[in-house]
Amino acid sequence: MSDGNKILFVPFYHKEDRNFIREIESGLNGNYTVCEESEICVEEKRLLFARATACISMRFHGIAFSLYYGIPCEAICYAPKSKELMREYNLEKYCLELGISSKSCFFREFDLKDEELNMVYQMLWEEKCKENFQNASKLLKSKGEEGALLLLNTIT
């Protein structure tokens, strides 16, 4: 925010996400907006990512929407599916693991390291990062088109 960026919180799993946002709101001294889930549908959420400069997301849909639009994303991965999506497009250096439960996901509890969080965040602003995500977006869309054709050929 000190660099003139506006923070937009986009909850996907509202109760838990909103509780998390409440925990950090008091530490924010600047311009930010929370898109309440009752005010915006998932299709509109997706479109918000098209206008973003960068994204920090721990939700699979936030990471996927960033990839779709080629928007640099710091992926906080609490589940293997998010990490695997980023790895598939050679973007794993923008991932950080977060262990939320010893009973699921990575099957152990561990927190983020501030220095790693800040290091990945700084990388989001590098020109090479934008290029990496734009290339991933092209690949993702190409695979989607191939999959759609395969599906059509299979059912017809």
Side-chain angles (χ1 to χ4, degrees), residues 48-111:
L48 290 172
F49 286 81
R51 301 283 312 246
T53 305
C55 171
I56 301 171
S57 183
M58 66 181 285
R59 296 294 182 201
F60 181 82
H61 283 86
I63 296 165
F65 293 160
S66 290
L67 284 174
Y68 182 83
Y69 289 111
I71 302 302
C73 178
E74 182 167 11
I76 299 172
C77 303
Y78 67 88
K81 65 182 177 183
S82 297
K83 188 171 182 179
E84 286 302 310
L85 177 64
M86 293 289 281
R87 186 195 56 73
E88 185 174 344
Y89 296 97
N90 297 313
L91 298 170
E92 59 271 10
K93 70 181 176 182
Y94 304 105
C95 293
L96 298 168
E97 289 184 3
L98 174 63
I100 60 169
S101 172
S102 60
K103 295 178 177 32
S104 67
C105 301
F106 295 118
F107 295 98
R108 58 189 174 96
E109 290 184 27
F110 56 94
D111 209 347

Side-chain angles (χ1 to χ4, degrees), residues 93-140:
K93 70 181 176 182
Y94 304 105
C95 293
L96 298 168
E97 289 184 3
L98 174 63
I100 60 169
S101 172
S102 60
K103 295 178 177 32
S104 67
C105 301
F106 295 118
F107 295 98
R108 58 189 174 96
E109 290 184 27
F110 56 94
D111 209 347
L112 297 168
K113 294 183 174 88
D114 286 345
E115 58 277 357
E116 290 175 3
L117 189 67
N118 290 328
M119 182 184 74
V120 173
Y121 177 78
Q122 292 304 318
M123 290 186 332
L124 296 181
W125 306 103
E126 297 170 359
E127 192 59 38
K128 183 67 175 167
C129 179
K130 180 76 172 165
E131 184 180 317
N132 291 339
F133 277 85
Q134 288 174 343
N135 289 337
S137 176
K138 289 175 190 169
L139 278 169
L140 181 69

